[in-house]
Amino acid sequence: MSPEQRIDLRSDTVTQPTPSMRRAMAGAEVGDDVYGEDPTVRRLEERAAELLGFAAALFVPSGTMGNQIAIRLLARRGEEVIVDERSHIYNFEMAAMADLSGAMARPVPSRRGFPSSADIEKALRPDLYYMPRTALITWENTHNLAGGTVASSESTRAMLAVAHRLQIPVHLDGARIFNASAALGVEAAKLTDGFTSVMTCLSKGLGAPVGSVLASDVERIAEARRIRKRFGGGMRQAGVLAAAGLVAFDETIDRLGQDHDRARRLAEGLGELKGLRTRPEEVQTNILMLEVTEDGWDAPRLVQALGAEGVLALPMDSRIVRMVTHYGITDAGVERTLQIASKLLG
Ligand code: TLP
């Protein structure tokens, strides 16, 4: 089966650059960004800062690097970083905070990805010389492993109130903050208000081929630039990539709601099949976690069977399969996925 015929629901990272991104990349004005001479990168950073409501931003190769630069920036060796126990930073970043920054993760439980302010407060260290200091709180919105959930403004506000009262910086892993913004109908800059730093990805729902940005104040971004270089992320004529990011900001933010509608439609249709459980009312954005409840099936087997029919999904454990919609998934792709799943599970 050719890649064009596949329905690839593994992630929103799989998108191909749009024709206008490819045109912008081909024509991008570039320079050596390590000398600060790439005008396209600079434009992307200015635009990202403006969209996220910060004074400055830094173009980075990946979301992981953006998160890890923020941690290096805001925590010192031997200090603790509060993380939700299912966060990307804790589960999918190779313990980088320990390896690169000497920091220790302090995982906190949550129901749908957002720990309560009471649980966060409980995890904060008292000021005792024989205990590690709590350096930083992290927050993920939308939350990937919880199924693309959107933080309520109440939960974010309550967490920020604790952080501000105790003067602890807060980093937002906003890889999909524009999905949260589309789901709530609220500008992204409103959702980032009160955070010390924010990372967002161009290479997920926004469809750009590569890249993320880290936003914060001018001083911190100047320091983040030094850390990026130390981490090996000083890129040269990166304007070729930033050009696609600018198109992503201009052309793809407004269409994210369609991905959310399609994820909901998938959840509704798959939930009707025997042996699958979905909770369509809980699908808020473009990520859907479906539970395989049928005896004789499990998540890896279902993923394999779907894959043989050209529908790609990700097994998360023995029972849970993840599907993510993005601009490469059309209404026809959703209907075809439902037909194939129904044929398999009948
Ligand atoms: N998520 C990827 C995988 O790594 C799981 C995906 O397919 O969803 N924060 C969040 C919330 C993310 O979901 C991801 C990537 C990242 C950070 C890291 O971004 P990259 O992949 O650019 O390093």
Side-chain angles (χ1 to χ4, degrees), residues 42 45-46 71 85 87-88 94 109 135 139 141 152 160 166 178 196 224 237 243 276 281 286 296 312:
R42 202 158 316 143
E45 291 175 341
E46 279 165 15
I71 290 170
E85 66 184 6
S87 62
H88 192 278
M94 321 286 299
W139 195 250
N141 190 17
S152 69
L160 287 173
L166 298 166
F178 292 103
T196 315
Q237 283 71 25
L276 291 185
E281 68 287 356
N286 66 332
L312 307 189

Side-chain angles (χ1 to χ4, degrees), residues 179-203:
N179 292 87
S181 155
L184 296 170
V186 168
E187 271 178 26
K190 284 238 163 61
L191 305 179
T192 62
D193 192 28
F195 286 87
T196 315
S197 59
V198 176
M199 184 284 291
T200 197
C201 293
L202 303 160
S203 59

Side-chain angles (χ1 to χ4, degrees), residues 109-244:
S110 72
R111 224 176 59 74
R112 301 192 63 209
F114 311 106
S116 71
S117 55
D119 283 342
I120 288 178
E121 201 152 0
K122 240 187 283 164
L124 301 175
R125 299 293 191 174
D127 185 14
L128 292 171
Y129 84 91
Y130 49 79
M131 279 188 161
R133 283 203 186 98
T134 305
L136 173 67
I137 298 171
T138 64
W139 195 250
E140 183 176 315
N141 190 17
T142 64
H143 197 289
N144 183 346
L145 269 191
T149 47
V150 179
S152 69
S153 63
E154 296 75 41
S155 68
T156 307
R157 241 186 289 127
M159 177 276 298
L160 287 173
V162 172
H164 293 167
R165 176 157 47 82
L166 298 166
Q167 296 189 323
I168 298 172
V170 192
H171 170 67
L172 174 62
D173 176 348
R176 298 185 178 84
I177 195 65
F178 292 103
N179 292 87
S181 155
L184 296 170
V186 168
E187 271 178 26
K190 284 238 163 61
L191 305 179
T192 62
D193 192 28
F195 286 87
T196 315
S197 59
V198 176
M199 184 284 291
T200 197
C201 293
L202 303 160
S203 59
K204 308 232 156 34
L206 301 191
V210 180
S212 295
V213 284
L214 177 68
S216 188
D217 57 53
V218 171
E219 223 169 78
R220 286 195 173 99
I221 289 301
E223 185 57 24
R225 197 177 295 281
R226 298 174 63 87
I227 298 170
R228 181 186 66 176
K229 187 76 176 82
R230 189 175 295 134
F231 284 0
M235 297 182 286
R236 301 295 175 171
Q237 283 71 25
V240 170
L241 301 173

Side-chain angles (χ1 to χ4, degrees), residues 45-90:
E45 291 175 341
E46 279 165 15
R47 182 103 169 86
E50 179 199 337
L51 282 169
L52 296 170
F54 283 85
L58 181 70
F59 185 43
V60 293
S62 69
T64 301
M65 191 188 282
N67 282 336
Q68 294 304 324
I69 290 173
I71 290 170
R72 178 61 161 266
L73 181 68
L74 299 169
R76 287 180 301 185
R77 301 192 75 77
E79 293 186 333
E80 272 186 356
V81 176
I82 306 262
V83 292
D84 164 55
E85 66 184 6
R86 288 191 294 164
S87 62
H88 192 278
I89 285 177
Y90 187 51

Side-chain angles (χ1 to χ4, degrees), residues 4-24:
E4 294 76 45
Q5 289 170 308
R6 292 189 323 193
I7 299 169
D8 196 343
L9 294 158
R10 287 172 301 171
S11 181
D12 47 11
T13 60
V14 301
T15 47
Q16 296 281 319
T18 62
S20 50
M21 285 178 191
R22 288 187 188 274
R23 278 195 300 277

